[in-house]
Amino acid sequence: MRRLPKSLLLACLSRPLRVRSPLPRLHPPPPPHQARPRSLPFSTQTLTRAPPPPPDAAAAAEAKPAGLVFLEAAELHESEGDHRKALDLALRAIAQLQEPHGGWSLPVARALRLAGAAASRVGLAGDGLESLGAAAEIVDYLAPARRGEPEVAAVGAAVHEQLARAKMAVGRRWDAVGDLRRALELRSGCLDEGSAELGDAYRDVAEAYAGVLDFDKALSLCLKALEIAEARFGEDLTEVAKVRRLLAVIYTGLGRHVDAQEQIELAKMVYEPLGLNVELSQVEIDGANIRILLGRSEEALNDLKREMKRADKESEERALAYVTMAKILSSQERIGDAKRCLEIARGIIDAKDSVNPGRIAEAYAEISMLHESMGEFETSLSLMKKTLAVLEGAKDMQHVEGSISARMGWILLHTGRVAEAIPYLETAVDKLKNCFGPQHFGLGFTYKHLGEAYLQADKHESAVKFLTLAKGIVHATFAPTHEDSIDMNQSLANAYGLMGSYKLAMDFQEQVIDAYKSCGTDSSDDLREAYRLREQLRMKAKGLRHAVFPANSLPVLPERRD
């Protein structure tokens, strides 16, 4: 059985973006002469249309201030961190602003944004998303007719950025990327090409794409952010180094390890003369991990030894350096030394009361994977449970929870604890779909493992459902002749065979045979096994009692094992 790909845990390295009472039902049709935007089942459906002009200027002056006073007061309370008061005032502002401005107006969008942000921060996540979604629909409706107006672009960008953060807080990272991209589009239309705000927007969107492992899209955006940062700060400031570190993550995700190492070295040149030891330690560890990928383990070991001398003995950076060293020693089959490094790392992080649960979770996840690679599944599971406990209640960490749950599910399935595996795999499917999108290969493997678990639990229809979903993703990612695609067809043949749907089982078994035929002589053993299974299926279809099917999954040759 295939191990869940470790690249899913790249998500553990992505850092959260910088932080910059039920809501009423609101939503009017726009003026009749304009095209009506799509109808939503919630907050914009009862907003009023724009009112007729007031009869005189005095009436206008009287109507305007009330809602704006509430809105400005709400913004003041938001800036002071009093979110409950900000929410109350924003709701009052919405009610007042509809009358003079109409529901489909910029002031109402501002108030909805503020109400949504405040609601999210006081724990009313659903109401916050509803309000922010309504604000986004209003600004997107207004933007085409008022293209080029700085206020519309600024409010629209703020709305979409806030909506993205609210989605990330509930694990909808994939959806959030689109909102950040929309905010960037709005800012690009009204900001100077080299402005700091635009550079930050490019970096935010690049970071968001990297966070969902879409490194191709992240690259061009990050290069643009770097171009703006260099033009503003030159080569030597920490803002440029931050962008370079993100660029190194993106290059690593793309497999461009030499380029990633170059960015790390340039970042080190900034941190070292400034005496920024924590940042320097972090890039040293990142650089060591990249050198491992480049096959330069001895250089990586030397870097880590130097880092251990500089880092504080009880620091998280020192613990992570020991974890990376254990990774190298384990690959060199120096298992005893590797375990000793892991013990030291655990001793440090077990005693830490970190304000950054993501860093601690990253360390536990790495340690657990190393124990798993040594075949110490119980230790690995224990550490993964500890990781989930660290992440409990932490915002923006559902992607890590999903990755850990998927891996726990795989280990439990692999060790024959099917009933325990299923809840973890079901949780993983839910979180990974929201975090990485419906077509990510990691989700495909999680579907596969869940399908296999259902198959072993005699839930054949559920097994077929998830194995079919898995096949669509894995075939699209790796092509039909890849070993994982072939194994997916074999799993479906097994499932249909157990259900007694022999015609469908034979169809998938034929696909397995055809794929191995196209792979050449290297797959001769696999091809023989596929023929044998096809013959067993034929015998089962004829009702012969001595037929045995399935005979488990296809054998995994030693050179194919993870």
Side-chain angles (χ1 to χ4, degrees), residues 17 28 105 172 201 217 269 287 503 506:
L17 295 176
S105 64
R172 292 170 55 187
K217 289 189 176 70
M269 291 170 62
K503 184 181 185 308
M506 288 288 289

Side-chain angles (χ1 to χ4, degrees), residues 260-275:
Q261 188 66 45
E262 179 185 353
Q263 296 302 317
I264 290 295
E265 294 301 320
L266 290 169
K268 283 167 60 177
M269 291 170 62
V270 173
Y271 293 138
E272 199 159 15
L274 294 175

Side-chain angles (χ1 to χ4, degrees), residues 490 509 512-514 516-517 520-536 551 554-555 557:
Q490 185 63 66
Q509 196 64 46
V512 172
I513 289 170
D514 291 343
Y516 279 132
K517 282 181 178 178
T521 55
D522 289 344
S523 297
S524 57
D525 290 341
D526 291 323
L527 182 59
R528 278 195 296 272
E529 176 67 3
Y531 275 129
R532 187 189 72 77
L533 290 172
R534 184 181 66 178
E535 183 59 28
Q536 293 296 315
L554 292 174
L557 299 179

Side-chain angles (χ1 to χ4, degrees), residues 42-306:
F42 41 77
S43 50
T44 50
Q45 283 194 345
T46 61
L47 286 174
T48 58
R49 68 184 66 186
D56 53 52
E62 184 180 350
K64 182 178 179 182
L68 293 179
V69 167
F70 283 128
L71 180 56
E72 290 169 3
E75 289 172 339
L76 178 61
H77 282 284
E78 180 190 39
S79 68
E80 295 173 347
D82 188 350
H83 302 301
R84 288 197 175 275
K85 186 65 174 176
L87 176 58
D88 178 62
L89 289 167
L91 294 177
R92 295 172 72 180
I94 292 167
Q96 293 286 334
L97 289 168
Q98 287 189 77
E99 183 177 346
H101 295 278
W104 290 82
S105 64
L106 205 58
V108 171
R110 286 174 58 197
L112 282 167
R113 183 210 68 79
L114 189 57
S120 297
R121 287 167 180 154
V122 299
L124 301 173
D127 291 332
L129 285 168
E130 180 177 309
S131 184
L132 290 164
E137 189 178 5
I138 291 169
V139 294
D140 287 345
Y141 171 70
L142 294 173
R146 300 173 62 177
R147 190 181 303 277
E149 291 188 28
E151 186 183 8
V152 175
V155 173
V159 165
H160 279 284
E161 285 172 357
Q162 194 70 57
L163 181 56
R165 284 165 173 76
K167 287 179 177 178
M168 285 187 176
V170 296
R172 292 170 55 187
R173 291 165 65 92
W174 183 258
D175 290 344
V177 174
D179 288 295
L180 286 171
R181 187 81 198 221
R182 176 63 177 145
L184 175 61
E185 291 169 359
L186 289 164
R187 291 201 185 283
S188 299
C190 66
L191 293 174
D192 293 337
E193 183 67 20
S195 71
E197 193 175 3
L198 189 59
D200 288 345
Y202 273 110
R203 188 173 79 176
D204 280 353
V205 185
E207 190 173 33
Y209 274 117
V212 298
L213 310 184
D214 192 341
F215 299 108
D216 288 317
K217 289 189 176 70
L219 179 59
S220 60
L221 294 160
C222 193
L223 289 172
K224 184 65 177 178
L226 180 61
E227 177 188 328
I228 294 172
E230 285 181 329
R232 293 185 63 240
F233 301 114
E235 285 284 341
D236 298 330
L237 287 185
T238 56
E239 288 301 314
V240 179
K242 288 177 186 177
V243 183
R244 290 196 182 283
R245 290 176 66 184
L246 174 59
L247 187 56
V249 171
I250 293 167
Y251 278 138
T252 302
L254 292 170
R256 295 171 56 175
H257 305 311
V258 173
D259 292 329
Q261 188 66 45
E262 179 185 353
Q263 296 302 317
I264 290 295
E265 294 301 320
L266 290 169
K268 283 167 60 177
M269 291 170 62
V270 173
Y271 293 138
E272 199 159 15
L274 294 175
L276 299 173
N277 288 334
V278 171
E279 290 82 356
L280 186 58
S281 294
Q282 291 169 356
V283 295
E284 286 278 20
I285 294 166
D286 290 345
N289 278 296
I290 294 169
R291 283 194 168 89
I292 294 170
L293 296 171
L294 288 167
R296 293 155 53 184
S297 294
E298 290 304 318
E299 290 181 37
L301 274 174
N302 291 332
D303 289 345
L304 292 167
K305 289 174 183 176
R306 184 169 61 250

